[in-house]
Amino acid sequence: MLRNALSQLLGGRRARPAEEDGAAPGRIRLPLPPALSASLGCDAVGVPARYGFRLMSHLPRAGCVFADADQWWWIVPSGSDLDLDWPEQASYATGAYVPAGRPRLIHAPDSRTPYTPPIPLFLMVCQVTGVVPSWDPSGRPKAVPAP
């Protein structure tokens, strides 16, 4: 109980082991550099490693990028999956909880924000995977109804 209270007071500044964060077994949370502000929350978009260099070279701006032998992961703001139909080859990880492996930070942004803009990333992922971009409303309301 004291550990949770202290974690909330510190605002989650220290990286916690996945089991304390409530991650599913076999998943880890990508650790952002402490100097970066992630005020919009964090999700991650992963693509097979074979697309990594091509995506990185064509994006107008890249935030934090993590990689291992199989996947490259881009940090995006939470909710970047809303109304976007990410290609099958891409993996969307809510909360930046990715399959446990050894992803390491390979790119840190010049700015104080860890995010890669999700729309350019989405369009580039579609292009490199040969998928036509699709915005899928998924039956969710576009606006919050008034009380």
Side-chain angles (χ1 to χ4, degrees):
M1 183 168 170
L2 287 175
R3 182 181 297 172
N4 286 340
L6 183 58
S7 295
Q8 289 177 351
L9 281 174
L10 294 176
R13 290 183 190 168
R14 66 179 180 87
R16 295 175 295 209
E19 56 273 4
E20 285 183 32
D21 277 337
R27 299 186 80 76
I28 60 166
R29 187 166 194 190
L30 296 173
L32 298 179
L36 300 180
S37 171
S39 59
L40 299 175
C42 287
D43 289 346
V45 175
V47 297
R50 67 181 175 271
Y51 301 127
F53 285 113
R54 185 169 177 202
L55 282 170
M56 184 74 107
S57 67
H58 287 88
L59 283 169
R61 184 172 65 81
C64 288
V65 181
F66 293 81
D68 60 24
D70 300 321
Q71 291 275 111
W72 282 39
W73 295 95
W74 276 262
I75 298 296
V76 294
S78 290
S80 294
D81 59 336
L82 292 173
D83 293 340
L84 293 180
D85 188 15
W86 289 91
E88 269 187 42
Q89 297 92 331
S91 302
Y92 193 88
T94 304
Y97 288 102
V98 302
R102 295 194 180 267
R104 59 184 170 80
L105 183 66
I106 62 166
H107 181 268
D110 295 331
S111 65
R112 293 187 44 101
T113 178
Y115 306 119
T116 296
I119 300 299
L121 178 61
F122 171 72
L123 293 172
M124 282 302 306
V125 169
C126 288
Q127 183 177 10
V128 300
T129 58
V131 173
V132 176
S134 165
W135 281 261
D136 179 20
S138 305
R140 290 180 266 191
K142 296 268 186 208
V144 177

